[in-house]
């Protein structure tokens, strides 16, 4: 609660920005865990300020991310005003190809989009009983997976600019390894949780998401550092030695959720989650500011420190706490 209160009192971006899409996802999870009226009232007030509208780019997943929170709140209040702008956005996205596809060949061309977009389509599909929204999410997810997932490393490249050629040429870290960004893969893990929370047990695509979740979880545990956190460059931890909170928070959230759902083996993963949660709590200042958050960027190459904070870092921390609190 301390972290949520501090962040709510220190806004940094427009409420419909993708950064707040991640933050408010964490606030809603914290509300579910605590039933705090303050958190719920803050979320409802945000929705009223934005008139329940997403950001401007209808075909860009970043601008869709805030709709996760609108849909979560709609389920509580059943007020169609909360739903209508998201429904209009998704219908336009479904029927009108936009500049993202024209410019990049696919809609979700960067791995972070897998947290921003799929949960909105899947939640809306379940709420409205519209299977075409789930099918659209599956189709677009598979396009991103086929382009960016590295089967040898069991991780996602941030975008096509980080893929290597057949001659093993491409962007490398100082130790010669490929660039796999912690926060980007954390976004993917968080998105997988959000999708799996929604998909019915017998849905035909569920097995794919469960398999991917298990595969990435196994790899991420291998890459966790002795202090409990993950580094901003997953395969070159020495290059950016400070533990990075936003990626670590999303990983902790996902692993704890996997344990709670019986998807991940508790004896294997619980020590990793406990170590991560202890480490995450150490980066929270006495007043509640979550530090050691890498600034906005597309790869590990951004300096940060104990004083570095961002709203999505707090969102990741709140998501992690919402699942850690359920561990037995």
């Amino acid at each position: 609660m301390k972290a949520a209160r501090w962040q709510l009192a220190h806004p940094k971006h427009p409420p419909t920005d993708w950064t707040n899409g991640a933050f408010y996802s964490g606030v809603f999870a914290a509300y579910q865990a605590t039933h705090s009226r303050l958190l719920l009232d803050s979320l409802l007030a945000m929705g009223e300020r934005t008139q329940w509208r997403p950001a401007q780019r209808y075909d860009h997943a970043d601008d869709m991310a805030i709709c996760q929170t609108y849909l979560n709140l709609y389920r509580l209040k059943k007020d169609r005003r909360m739903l209508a702008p998201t429904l209009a956005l998704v219908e336009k996205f479904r029927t009108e190809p936009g500049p993202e596809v024209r410019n990049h060949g696919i809609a979700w061309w960067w791995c972070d989009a897998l947290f921003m977009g799929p949960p909105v389509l899947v939640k809306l599909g379940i709420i409205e009983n519209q299977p075409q929204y789930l099918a659209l999410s599956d189709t677009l997810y598979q396009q991103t997976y086929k382009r960016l997932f590295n089967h040898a490393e069991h991780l996602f490249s941030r975008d096509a600019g980080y893929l290597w050629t057949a001659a093993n040429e491409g962007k490398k870290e100082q130790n010669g390894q490929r660039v796999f960004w912690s926060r980007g893969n954390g976004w993917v893990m968080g998105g997988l949780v959000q999708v799996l929370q929604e998909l019915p047990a017998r849905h035909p695509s569920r097995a794919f998401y469960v398999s991917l979740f298990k595969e990435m979880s196994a790899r991420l545990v291998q890459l966790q550092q002795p202090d409990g956190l993950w580094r901003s460059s997953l395969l070159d931890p020495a290059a950016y030695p400070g533990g990075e909170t936003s990626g670590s928070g999303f990983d902790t959230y996902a692993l704890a959720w996997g344990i709670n759902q019986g998807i991940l083996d508790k004896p294997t993963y619980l020590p990793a989650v406990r170590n991560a949660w202890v480490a995450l709590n150490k980066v929270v200042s006495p007043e509640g500011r979550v530090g050691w958050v890498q600034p906005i960027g597309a790869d590990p190459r951004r300096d940060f420190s104990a004083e570095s904070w961002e709203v999505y870092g707090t969102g990741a921390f709140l998501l992690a706490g919402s699942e850690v609190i359920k561990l037995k």
Side-chain angles (χ1 to χ4, degrees):
M1 278 296 295
K2 187 188 291 186
R5 285 174 184 269
W6 186 91
Q7 194 62 76
L8 287 167
H10 295 82
K12 198 171 186 178
H13 306 282
T16 58
D17 192 62
W18 64 268
T19 52
N20 279 314
F23 170 55
Y24 288 122
S25 179
V27 174
F28 186 83
Y31 162 72
Q32 288 182 304
T34 64
H35 303 289
S36 162
R37 189 73 209 185
L38 169 70
L39 297 185
L40 179 59
D41 287 348
S42 297
L43 291 168
L44 292 170
M46 178 275 294
E48 293 296 341
R49 285 198 307 274
T50 64
Q51 297 182 297
W52 308 100
R53 292 174 181 166
Q56 292 183 336
R57 299 170 295 178
Y58 78 92
D59 67 329
H60 199 295
D62 282 2
D63 289 11
M64 188 183 289
I66 192 63
C67 298
Q68 291 181 28
T69 299
Y70 298 158
L71 295 174
N72 289 334
L73 292 168
Y74 169 77
R75 281 176 161 158
L76 294 180
K77 299 298 182 181
K78 298 295 191 289
D79 182 344
R80 295 294 291 188
R81 290 184 310 117
M82 300 174 171
L83 191 68
T86 297
L87 191 57
L89 171 85
V90 170
E91 269 301 297
K92 186 172 183 180
F93 179 61
R94 186 176 72 88
T95 57
E96 296 183 28
E100 298 306 318
V101 172
R102 288 197 296 273
N103 294 336
H104 301 278
I106 60 176
W108 296 337
W109 50 268
W110 72 112
C111 72
D112 324 24
L114 299 182
F115 174 79
M116 315 295 182
V120 173
L121 295 183
V122 175
K123 282 176 191 289
L124 187 63
I126 297 297
I127 288 170
E128 292 290 276
N129 192 25
Q130 294 288 353
Q132 70 262 34
Y133 297 155
L134 279 68
L136 175 61
S137 182
D138 283 342
T139 297
L140 300 182
Y141 201 110
Q142 288 292 336
Q143 291 173 353
T144 309
Y145 173 77
K146 288 171 183 174
R147 179 178 291 190
L148 299 181
F149 190 69
N150 185 292
H151 292 273
E153 295 294 347
H154 317 288
L155 298 167
F156 279 83
S157 297
R158 194 271 176 178
D159 57 54
Y162 294 88
L163 302 176
W164 282 14
T165 67
N168 281 338
E169 295 176 349
K171 294 178 181 177
K172 298 178 182 178
E173 293 290 10
Q174 296 174 30
N175 64 357
Q177 293 287 338
R178 297 171 186 256
V179 179
F180 289 104
W181 182 35
S182 177
R183 185 159 70 238
N185 280 277
W187 289 124
V188 175
M189 291 295 288
L192 282 168
V193 170
Q194 299 275 339
V195 168
L196 286 168
Q197 283 176 333
E198 300 291 336
L199 285 179
R202 295 187 179 181
H203 193 275
S205 65
R206 184 177 177 85
F208 164 78
Y209 296 110
V210 170
S211 176
L212 179 60
F213 179 79
K214 288 181 174 179
E215 181 178 357
M216 292 185 68
S217 295
R219 183 62 172 129
L220 286 166
V221 164
Q222 294 173 346
L223 297 170
Q224 187 181 26
Q225 297 303 298
D227 65 356
L229 299 178
W230 286 261
R231 300 302 182 259
S232 57
S233 179
L234 290 172
L235 301 191
D236 191 6
Y240 314 94
E244 201 284 310
T245 302
S246 63
S248 297
F250 274 101
D251 292 341
T252 306
Y253 164 58
L255 297 177
W257 180 85
I259 295 169
N260 287 329
Q261 296 299 313
I263 294 173
L264 298 179
D265 177 63
K266 188 173 181 179
T268 301
Y269 289 93
L270 186 58
V273 170
R274 283 180 170 159
N275 291 340
W277 185 239
V278 168
L280 285 169
N281 277 275
K282 290 179 180 177
V283 307
V284 181
S285 71
E287 65 269 27
R289 186 191 69 237
V290 178
W292 286 102
V293 180
Q294 187 188 10
I296 294 170
D299 63 23
R301 296 176 177 83
R302 294 296 301 276
D303 197 21
F304 55 99
S305 69
E307 303 304 311
S308 303
W309 63 272
E310 259 296 353
V311 296
Y312 49 76
T314 308
F317 179 81
L318 295 174
L319 285 166
S322 74
E323 288 297 326
V324 170
I325 200 171
K326 300 173 191 173
L327 289 169
K328 296 187 175 79

